[in-house]
Amino acid sequence: WCFLYAGTFGCFFYSFSTNMEDTQTKVTVLRRKLQYNLLFVALHMSLAIVQGALYCMRTVNHSIGTMGFGLELAACAVYLVEFALGWLDTNLAGVGRGTVFMCTWGLVDCFLMPSVLLMTLDVDGYKSWGSLSFFSFVHLFQSWQWLFYSLRINLQILKWRIVSLLGSAFTLVAFASLAMMTLENLQDPEALLSRLDTSEWNVVASLYFVITTLATVGYGDLAPETLLGRFGAAVAVVGGMGVLVANVQKVTATVTIHGSGGGSYRPNVRAKPIIISGNPTATMVKDFVAEIFHPDHADDAEDLHLIFFFPSGGREMEEVIRFRGHKSNIAIAHKISVFKGSVLDSHHLERVCALRAVAFIILPNMDCSSPFQEDAENIIRMLAVRRYIPDSRIILLLLKAESRDILKDAGINADVADKDLTIIAADQFKLELVGKSVDVLGFGPFICNLCKSVGESEDDEGKAVWLREYEQGVGNELYEIELSTVYSDKRKALFGEVVMDVLEQNGGTVYLIGLVEQSVRDGGKQILVNPGPRYPIKAVTSGFKTFGIFIAADRESVQQCEVNMVFLGRRERPRGERAMRKEAALQAEQRRRFARPPSVSARELAKVADPALQLRARQLVALSQVHGHGQQPARPPLKMLAQGGHILLMCIGAQGEKDFRLGVQHFVRPLRQAKEPKEIVPIVVMSPVVPRDWETVCDQSAVYYFKGSPLSQPDLERANFRAAASIFICNVSSGSMEMRGAENWMMDSEMICCARMVEAQLTPGARTLVVADLKHDANHLFLSVPQTSNTSGMEGGPSEFPAPAASEGEKRLPRRMSVTNFQSESEKMRESATSIVSGSEGKPENKPYFMEPRFASGQMFIGSVVTSLVVNTYYNPSLSELVTSMIASIVTTKQVPHDWVGKSYFEYFDYLLAVEGSLAVGILRRADPTHFEPSAAEATTRKQSKEAAEKMAEASSRKQSKEASVRKQSKTSLKQRFAFVYTAPPAKETTMTETDRIICFGVAQSVGGAA
């Protein structure tokens, strides 16, 4: 034991002088896998029981057989494996952990294993049967604890907690009993303890008397006889009982405090604490934990520790504690701490060592009744953290973008604006994203999937082709990585050349879509999404660090051109004067569209000579106009409604709002970006009350307010919803006092009813795009697969999918249907949804929302995407700025020309970038739920022999008959066709079809930094 303990210091000093982090991580992971491996735990427990039983038998027989001795050696070998890993793991972590290990489990094994080996020695010509094998019950206690972890049993359940305590108590009692028996049989050494082994009063006898008396045992073999001795015994007993009760009370109070959110946290040396504050709901916390500990972030999250602060405790904190103790979260439960407290109190920050925190994340209650009050409280929390730790990194999620604007107007933002502060507005992100998705079909799921971590699919056999391609695209994420200096210094490369080099270096699976230029002097950033193929990469000597914005499956897969590597981006292509003029004309057209001509009032005010008076006059005129339009918003003309083709924004849950602010300017902005007057689509906002912030869109043309309820059939008819080009059902409801504590589905109940009512009355196969806004992702199961098609504008000639013919019963249905009239139709939709999602007519699969056809086609927005954006902003600090810049960029979809049909995506990508300056990032592809990809085994067999080819022909015949039955069934219910987004497809392996549309970023107009 002394030799191994001395090795603790040697191992520590060696690891201190040498980088052993990777070795320590591997040892820790191996040790944890061993302890959670059910086979190892069962072997460990079985050998411990056998060794303990053999020891009990030897105490009676006083002999040991060869088989018994072999079993004990096998048990010691298993103990030795765990001991070696534990010694190495704890000693590499530090002297403190190594000392604790050597004084506990190390001490047990240092007594046990040598005593078993000493049994091989002869004593008076006989083999010794004595050993300290009763220590095997300590190993039995250890394996008993491991058993519950390996079986993933939730010890928060009462029956399992009782079973655990009974098993632990039995092993400890058995160990204590055998240890007592061994010590008594060995008797006292005559030279050391013989004088104390009498009935006279001495140190040992006095300790024995007091302990047995305090334990209420009282054997009676020893008692005080003098008056003073009896008085001293009484004082000792009474005082000891008082001290014991006081200590038990303190322990109980400590346990109670920890259970109610009290206590403290002391991080270890390698820990990276993240403090989460605010008023997040339990659902939001679950989404946050699932995202931050996603397997894609396994390396970055290895040392993370989440500390949740709940200001008032209550139901939300209790639900989070139960979630942490669930058996599915055993692997991360030790990385989550829940406390009752607030970052506004410095004492609460001190008890969790806030100075060691790597980040502070402030989350709101997305279901609160007063969004502006919630934002104000979180802003105060942000200022309190910044005051306590001036250089702390903070991620602040606000419900309203107006709250962030108030920060700027009040001058508070100027005091805290730096690279360590990130502010994300939930309403702006949602409305801008949906507005852009309405204008550019498929843009919504494209951005959402880049903001969310999605693991790779384990089994692709038997899936529909569209689902395979969609899953492959969903697995990509955004990464900001510094560009290789070879591009700027050695090659003097242009942006288009670097894009092609990255694509070639990675086999067509990694896309460079933009640049982030950071000033070395002040840290300012400029984000350029597709700066143009002829944009030069800035050299290091220019005072800028250039980072690339990559779309890739993971960070490690991004391969750039380094020194002594072949540069694959420069290629000769015929770029005549015609191509140059075309590119220049495109850029000039984009600049012209962005420029806004001065208004009539601005030209009149320009005649005022005094600049100060001119400025004040402009302000008064603007305020007067805004106030007038805000009080009396423009109504939609009846002619425009009758013609149809308008965008209908319906507000659900605005009836009871006292201070209803929609943030409609964020929805309108992407729909008016770079649009000619003839390209402007009318926008109609339907709401029971006028939004208080309507003045923000007074200067926008063709934006109208329509007073009505989305749940009212007459109001829907007056808005001519059947002829609308797109319908966005926006859930603006807030959690009232009555809704607190209710189930999550109730927050989306009105929105679900509205969506189902609208879709049930649209003509099957209609081109109206219906986008539903859900606050909770679990509620997507209540939405049906819509009867509408989002393939409008996807030209294909003969391949255009016709709407299914209506049956005689459907023809007799009334045109107006109530909610109760379409229950049978919704059941048919659910059956169709099951067939599409699973790729067959089998039993339904409970897939996550992002794998649903409705989400893949851009007809659903989920509130938890904002939580994913916050989490991934921690891992990638520029992510929110990148997403904002991508939404603000010029995005178009291009129909694949007939000459390019059947060619590779790589060739068309190169053409678009070189000739038109457009950067392709994905394909909007039409899905065919009845099209299946043959398995790899079938494809190999087809190539090997003619006999296998015949078998494949038979299999294909059976498949065609199956598909025919599917089509036959769909004729009487629903034949759903939709378009999905194939994000960053493998460029060299993907073949384009005639119905594909390519999603492209136009040339950037110097998009600035953070919004």
Side-chain angles (χ1 to χ4, degrees):
W1 182 88
C2 295
F3 174 77
L4 290 173
Y5 186 58
T8 297
F9 293 91
C11 185
F12 170 73
F13 286 117
Y14 180 76
S15 62
F16 184 78
S17 59
T18 309
N19 187 7
M20 299 287 291
E21 291 186 0
D22 294 340
T23 304
Q24 181 184 358
T25 302
K26 292 179 181 179
V27 171
T28 303
V29 171
L30 180 60
R31 187 186 180 196
R32 292 288 180 265
K33 288 183 178 180
L34 201 64
Q35 293 174 352
Y36 295 156
N37 186 278
L38 185 59
L39 182 61
F40 176 79
V41 172
L43 179 63
H44 190 276
M45 180 180 291
S46 302
L47 291 175
I49 294 174
V50 170
Q51 188 175 19
L54 290 173
Y55 179 77
C56 294
M57 295 173 59
R58 289 205 307 272
T59 58
V60 178
N61 301 329
H62 293 181
S63 63
I64 181 173
T66 304
M67 181 179 294
F69 181 70
L71 289 175
E72 292 218 26
L73 287 178
C76 290
V78 174
Y79 304 155
L80 183 61
V81 173
E82 205 282 327
F83 172 81
L85 290 176
W87 183 86
L88 190 60
D89 180 27
T90 54
N91 289 330
L92 288 176
V95 175
R97 289 186 59 185
T99 301
V100 172
F101 176 80
M102 289 303 301
C103 293
T104 52
W105 302 109
L107 191 63
V108 169
D109 287 328
C110 286
F111 275 118
L112 173 60
M113 288 186 282
S115 68
V116 174
L117 294 177
L118 290 175
M119 294 171 61
T120 59
L121 301 178
D122 292 338
V123 179
D124 298 333
Y126 297 95
K127 297 290 185 181
S128 173
W129 61 269
S131 67
L132 300 180
S133 297
F134 60 88
F135 277 101
S136 61
F137 282 93
V138 178
H139 281 284
L140 179 59
F141 170 80
Q142 188 181 40
S143 59
W144 179 253
Q145 306 299 321
W146 293 345
L147 181 63
F148 288 90
Y149 289 104
S150 60
L151 294 176
R152 298 183 178 274
I153 295 176
N154 186 8
L155 293 179
Q156 300 297 324
I157 301 176
L158 182 60
K159 65 176 183 179
W160 293 119
R161 174 65 68 181
I162 293 175
V163 171
S164 175
L165 292 176
L166 290 177
S168 302
F170 170 76
T171 54
L172 293 178
V173 168
F175 168 73
S177 302
L178 294 176
M180 185 68 185
M181 179 191 68
T182 303
L183 294 175
E184 285 295 321
N185 289 334
L186 288 176
Q187 298 183 356
D188 296 330
E190 295 183 1
L192 182 62
L193 299 176
S194 59
R195 296 182 180 179
L196 301 178
D197 190 16
T198 62
S199 59
E200 298 178 358
W201 286 94
N202 50 52
V203 176
V204 177
S206 300
L207 289 174
Y208 167 74
F209 168 76
V210 172
I211 291 174
T212 55
T213 304
L214 288 177
T216 66
V217 178
Y219 295 109
D221 56 343
L222 191 64
E225 297 179 357
T226 64
L227 182 62
L228 293 177
R230 292 174 180 176
F231 177 76
V235 172
V237 170
V238 174
M241 292 292 292
V243 172
L244 181 62
V245 171
N247 289 333
V248 170
Q249 182 189 14
K250 290 180 180 179
V251 172
T252 305
T254 302
V255 173
T256 304
I257 289 173
H258 278 276
S260 60
S264 60
Y265 167 75
R266 292 293 180 269
N268 57 36
V269 178
R270 296 184 55 187
K272 298 177 181 178
I274 299 178
I275 297 179
I276 299 96
S277 182
N279 295 296
T281 61
T283 303
M284 191 176 192
V285 171
K286 295 175 184 177
D287 294 335
F288 184 93
V289 172
E291 183 70 30
I292 203 165
F293 289 120
H294 193 274
D296 286 355
H297 306 308
D299 295 335
D300 297 329
E302 179 66 26
D303 299 322
L304 290 184
H305 191 98
L306 304 184
I307 302 173
F308 289 94
F309 264 136
F310 287 90
S312 58
R315 186 181 67 90
E316 300 293 339
M317 189 180 75
E318 294 175 359
E319 189 171 347
V320 172
I321 294 176
R322 288 196 298 269
F323 167 74
R324 179 186 61 180
H326 194 268
K327 63 180 181 179
S328 61
N329 299 320
I330 289 178
I332 61 174
H334 65 284
K335 297 183 178 182
I336 303 174
S337 298
V338 182
F339 297 102
K340 181 180 179 181
S342 173
V343 294
L344 299 175
D345 192 339
S346 59
H347 297 290
H348 292 170
L349 293 174
E350 290 174 358
R351 66 190 177 104
V352 295
C353 296
L355 293 174
R356 289 279 310 279
V358 296
F360 291 81
I361 300 178
I362 303 176
L363 303 176
N365 182 356
M366 304 295 287
D367 303 331
C368 67
S369 57
S370 178
F372 286 98
Q373 180 180 351
E374 183 75 13
D375 285 346
E377 293 177 358
N378 287 334
I379 290 172
I380 297 300
R381 291 187 177 98
M382 180 267 294
L383 295 175
V385 172
R386 183 50 58 91
R387 180 179 180 182
Y388 184 78
I389 310 175
D391 58 346
S392 58
R393 182 188 175 192
I394 302 175
I395 301 176
L396 173 62
L397 176 62
L398 297 176
L399 295 175
K400 297 291 184 180
E402 191 174 347
S403 300
R404 183 187 56 202
D405 298 336
I406 293 174
L407 274 177
K408 297 179 181 179
D409 296 338
I412 299 177
N413 190 60
D415 299 332
V416 297
D418 52 46
K419 62 180 181 179
D420 293 327
L421 175 64
T422 303
I423 302 178
I424 301 173
D427 68 328
Q428 179 181 358
F429 173 74
K430 176 180 72 174
L431 292 171
E432 286 188 348
L433 183 61
V434 176
K436 196 78 170 183
S437 184
V438 168
D439 185 52
V440 181
L441 188 62
F443 189 77
F446 169 75
I447 293 293
C448 290
N449 292 332
L450 291 178
C451 296
K452 184 174 180 62
S453 301
V454 180
E456 297 181 357
S457 177
E458 297 180 357
D459 185 15
D460 288 339
E461 295 295 333
K463 288 185 179 179
V465 174
W466 82 266
L467 193 55
R468 286 190 182 185
E469 295 177 343
Y470 177 69
E471 285 183 348
Q472 188 174 20
V474 167
N476 293 310
E477 295 184 42
L478 277 178
Y479 297 98
E480 179 185 347
I481 303 174
E482 186 174 1
L483 281 184
S484 172
T485 55
V486 172
Y487 296 132
S488 58
D489 297 343
K490 186 176 180 180
R491 295 291 179 179
K492 309 295 182 184
L494 304 177
F495 176 75
E497 296 172 343
V498 178
V499 170
M500 296 308 299
D501 178 77
V502 170
L503 203 61
E504 290 277 15
Q505 297 284 357
N506 296 274
T509 59
V510 176
Y511 290 76
L512 174 65
I513 66 170
L515 302 174
V516 178
E517 297 176 344
Q518 183 177 11
S519 175
V520 178
R521 183 178 58 183
D522 57 5
K525 289 183 178 181
Q526 184 182 28
I527 299 176
L528 299 169
V529 180
N530 183 21
R534 305 191 65 79
Y535 184 87
I537 306 299
K538 286 184 171 60
V540 178
T541 56
S542 64
F544 286 90
K545 292 179 65 176
T546 305
F547 297 83
I549 307 173
F550 296 90
I551 298 180
D554 52 72
R555 187 179 294 270
E556 290 73 20
S557 63
V558 178
Q559 179 67 43
Q560 303 183 54
C561 182
E562 302 293 346
V563 180
N564 299 326
M565 292 180 63
V566 179
F567 182 68
L568 303 176
R570 187 157 293 160
R571 57 187 63 201
E572 298 295 333
R573 53 172 60 87
R575 282 185 55 85
E577 294 183 2
R578 180 180 179 183
M580 297 289 290
R581 287 197 301 269
K582 184 175 182 180
E583 181 178 347
L586 286 173
Q587 296 181 3
E589 176 67 16
Q590 291 172 358
R591 287 194 295 269
R592 186 184 66 81
R593 290 191 175 191
F594 270 100
R596 180 179 296 175
S599 61
V600 177
S601 58
R603 290 194 296 267
E604 293 295 331
L605 289 173
K607 301 177 182 179
V608 180
D610 188 359
L613 183 60
Q614 185 182 107
L615 178 61
R616 184 57 182 166
R618 283 197 182 96
Q619 293 175 350
L620 292 175
V621 171
L623 290 174
S624 177
Q625 292 177 349
V626 167
H627 178 74
H629 289 293
Q631 294 294 323
Q632 297 179 351
R635 266 49 175 185
L638 294 179
K639 182 178 179 181
M640 183 273 295
L641 290 178
Q643 290 176 347
H646 54 287
I647 297 174
L648 187 58
L649 170 60
M650 302 193 299
C651 301
I652 288 290
Q655 182 66 42
E657 297 294 329
K658 298 180 181 179
D659 187 19
F660 173 49
R661 296 177 183 269
L662 177 60
V664 64
Q665 72 274 18
H666 305 304
F667 181 78
V668 173
R669 186 182 300 118
L671 293 170
R672 294 292 183 263
Q673 181 185 19
K675 296 292 184 183
E676 293 286 351
K678 61 181 180 180
E679 298 174 344
I680 291 179
V681 179
I683 300 174
V684 179
V685 179
M686 175 189 285
S687 173
V689 294
V690 180
R692 293 285 299 274
D693 57 350
W694 188 264
E695 63 271 9
T696 58
V697 293
C698 290
D699 60 340
Q700 299 288 345
S701 60
V703 179
Y704 308 103
Y705 168 73
F706 185 91
K707 185 173 183 180
S709 172
L711 294 173
S712 172
Q713 182 68 37
D715 291 343
L716 290 175
E717 296 290 354
R718 289 193 299 115
N720 197 11
F721 73 101
R722 292 188 180 89
S726 303
I727 300 176
F728 174 39
I729 308 174
C730 184
N731 193 348
V732 298
S733 61
S734 58
S736 60
M737 295 299 294
E738 293 77 8
M739 293 291 290
R740 293 184 181 179
E743 296 183 12
N744 292 334
W745 66 268
M746 296 182 65
M747 300 299 300
D748 294 318
S749 57
E750 291 185 354
M751 200 288 308
I752 294 171
C753 291
C754 180
R756 296 182 72 101
M757 182 172 65
V758 168
E759 291 172 350
Q761 300 182 71
L762 293 175
T763 304
R767 302 304 186 188
T768 302
L769 180 71
V770 181
V771 183
D773 176 20
L774 291 177
K775 288 193 172 185
H776 299 282
D777 53 6
N779 293 333
H780 76 274
L781 297 173
F782 295 101
L783 287 173
S784 60
V785 175
Q787 297 187 41
T788 59
S789 173
N790 69 336
T791 57
S792 58
M794 298 185 67
E795 302 169 1
S799 64
E800 188 74 17
F801 294 119
S807 63
E808 293 299 325
E810 290 172 335
K811 292 179 181 178
R812 291 193 295 268
L813 287 175
R815 187 161 182 80
R816 296 186 181 183
M817 300 173 64
S818 62
V819 178
T820 56
N821 287 90
F822 64 85
Q823 293 297 328
S824 59
E825 289 296 319
S826 60
E827 294 300 328
K828 296 178 181 179
M829 296 178 195
R830 175 56 56 194
E831 294 175 2
S832 178
T834 300
S835 175
I836 293 176
V837 172
S838 60
S840 63
E841 294 182 291
K843 63 179 182 179
E845 300 180 18
N846 187 16
K847 289 186 174 293
Y849 71 88
F850 52 83
M851 300 306 299
E852 290 285 350
R854 188 179 192 110
F855 185 84
S857 61
Q859 301 185 70
M860 181 169 60
F861 178 85
I862 302 294
S864 62
V865 174
V866 181
T867 306
S868 301
L869 176 62
V870 171
V871 172
N872 286 285
T873 299
Y874 165 76
Y875 291 115
N876 184 1
S878 298
L879 179 63
S880 62
E881 299 175 11
L882 296 178
V883 171
T884 302
S885 300
M886 292 171 69
I887 295 176
S889 301
I890 300 176
V891 185
T892 58
T893 57
K894 298 182 179 295
Q895 181 71 37
V896 176
H898 181 72
D899 296 341
W900 290 93
V901 174
K903 296 184 179 180
S904 71
Y905 178 78
F906 178 83
E907 297 178 78
Y908 193 50
F909 176 92
D910 187 20
Y911 169 80
L912 290 175
L913 183 63
V915 178
E916 300 186 9
S918 299
L919 182 63
V921 293
I923 301 176
L924 185 64
R925 175 163 288 182
R926 181 170 293 167
D928 185 358
T930 61
H931 183 202
F932 296 88
E933 186 76 18
S935 64
E938 291 173 343
T940 303
T941 307
R942 186 189 296 121
K943 295 179 181 180
Q944 288 178 349
S945 64
K946 182 178 178 180
E947 182 181 357
E950 295 176 355
K951 294 181 179 179
M952 285 297 300
E954 296 176 0
S956 176
S957 176
R958 290 194 299 268
K959 185 195 300 182
Q960 290 176 1
S961 62
K962 179 180 179 180
E963 293 175 359
S965 64
V966 172
R967 288 193 294 268
K968 182 178 180 180
Q969 182 181 3
S970 64
K971 287 181 180 179
T972 59
S973 60
L974 178 65
K975 187 175 183 180
Q976 181 62 34
R977 305 293 175 132
F978 59 91
F980 69 97
V981 179
Y982 193 2
T983 305
K988 297 184 177 181
E989 302 174 6
T990 304
T991 303
M992 293 180 297
T993 64
E994 59 182 347
T995 59
D996 285 348
R997 294 186 70 89
I998 310 301
I999 302 176
C1000 303
F1001 281 109
V1003 179
Q1005 298 296 318
S1006 184
V1007 181

